[in-house]
Amino acid sequence: GAVRNHINEVISAFEDYPGEGELCWGLIPQWGDDWDMFDDDSMLWDVPGWDPYDDEQQVCAITEGCDSDYWALCLGFGAILEIEPTIIDLSEEMWSVQPDVEQHICNVYCSSSPEAPNFLVKMWATPTDTIGMIKSKVNEVLDALDDYDGNGEIAWGLAPIWGEFWDFFDDDLCLFEVDGWDSADDSQAVVAITDGCNSEYWKWCAFFGRLDEQLDGVPTTVIDLTC
């Protein structure tokens, strides 16, 4: 789902692309015999057949005009190799600031348990970034760290550290539009809801005045993606 969202962000910025609305609504493999779409909740590196060491491996985007039946037909007749693509290379800019896009810093605290060290992920966020997209970025970063002792989906929700409501945000909401978010405040942060530090834990911290102690008093590893 995070990969698909990145594709839609990039393509929607190009005037040459004739599609409208949600441009890509699914991804499918270019290998094997199964042309069903991947589940949006699946990790790319966990899908059958994906080789992270093969820099030439590809997937196909499912759009209104090119569905899975079309790509299966192309592959079957070898026509997929005849397509001349326009290449958009983001491999060196994935986490960098984009000069022509409004961006502000988003801070996300994440911990697998109250006793474990905190991780603070600092990243750029745009007005179109949803809570689900921010959460996916956090999971991608932490999943690659040997020091993080969580397993599986590390963060399954994001919650504010302001106000009195500790229910986590809806994944479909845009970060810049949630109540209380101030995009001009580069120090504002949200917390990741994990199995070891869920909403009830953060409510307890706030109620007993332990929030600052948990966020600032516990050793914290800062992962800064804004440099």
Side-chain angles (χ1 to χ4, degrees):
V3 174
R4 184 171 61 82
N5 285 331
H6 285 315
I7 292 171
N8 282 332
E9 286 178 30
V10 172
I11 297 298
S12 62
F14 280 79
E15 296 180 357
D16 294 341
Y17 191 85
E20 297 177 354
E22 186 171 14
L23 312 174
C24 164
W25 46 269
L27 296 177
I28 59 175
Q30 267 195 26
W31 59 87
D33 299 321
D34 186 1
W35 281 85
D36 290 334
M37 288 187 299
F38 295 127
D39 191 312
D40 264 4
D41 294 329
S42 297
M43 297 291 288
L44 176 62
W45 288 16
D46 291 339
V47 298
W50 179 258
D51 180 3
Y53 299 103
D54 182 358
D55 291 341
E56 297 183 356
Q57 195 169 27
Q58 302 170 355
V59 296
C60 298
I62 301 300
T63 63
E64 294 284 349
C66 295
D67 57 14
S68 55
D69 290 337
Y70 166 78
W71 289 115
L73 183 67
C74 285
L75 185 68
F77 286 94
I80 200 167
L81 301 176
E82 300 174 4
I83 299 174
E84 290 291 337
T86 297
I87 298 175
I88 305 167
D89 190 350
L90 304 177
S91 59
E92 297 182 358
E93 302 178 2
M94 185 172 180
W95 301 109
S96 64
V97 62
Q98 302 172 47
D100 299 329
V101 179
E102 178 189 355
Q103 295 192 115
H104 299 277
I105 291 176
C106 171
N107 301 288
V108 183
Y109 282 96
C110 188
S111 186
S112 58
S113 71
E115 298 78 22
N118 287 328
F119 286 84
L120 171 58
V121 181
K122 301 172 71 70
M123 68 181 73
W124 292 110
T126 74
T128 59
D129 284 347
T130 65
I131 294 296
M133 291 164 64
I134 298 294
K135 184 186 68 173
S136 294
K137 289 180 183 178
V138 171
N139 281 333
E140 287 176 25
V141 171
L142 296 183
D143 191 50
L145 296 178
D146 293 334
D147 294 340
Y148 191 85
D149 59 2
N151 294 313
E153 186 172 13
I154 298 163
W156 45 269
L158 298 179
I161 58 175
W162 61 87
E164 299 176 355
F165 300 96
W166 280 87
D167 290 335
F168 50 88
F169 298 123
D170 189 309
D171 272 1
D172 294 330
L173 291 176
C174 283
L175 174 66
F176 284 23
E177 296 175 358
V178 299
D179 291 339
W181 179 260
D182 180 4
S183 58
D185 182 358
D186 288 344
S187 65
Q188 194 170 27
V190 295
V191 292
I193 304 300
T194 64
D195 286 337
C197 293
N198 58 18
S199 297
E200 294 302 319
Y201 169 75
W202 292 112
K203 286 179 185 177
W204 179 87
C205 284
F207 183 81
F208 288 100
R210 300 282 296 277
L211 190 58
D212 290 341
E213 178 182 335
Q214 175 61 29
L215 297 182
D216 300 326
V218 174
T220 300
T221 298
V222 179
I223 305 167
D224 193 345
L225 305 176
T226 65
C227 298

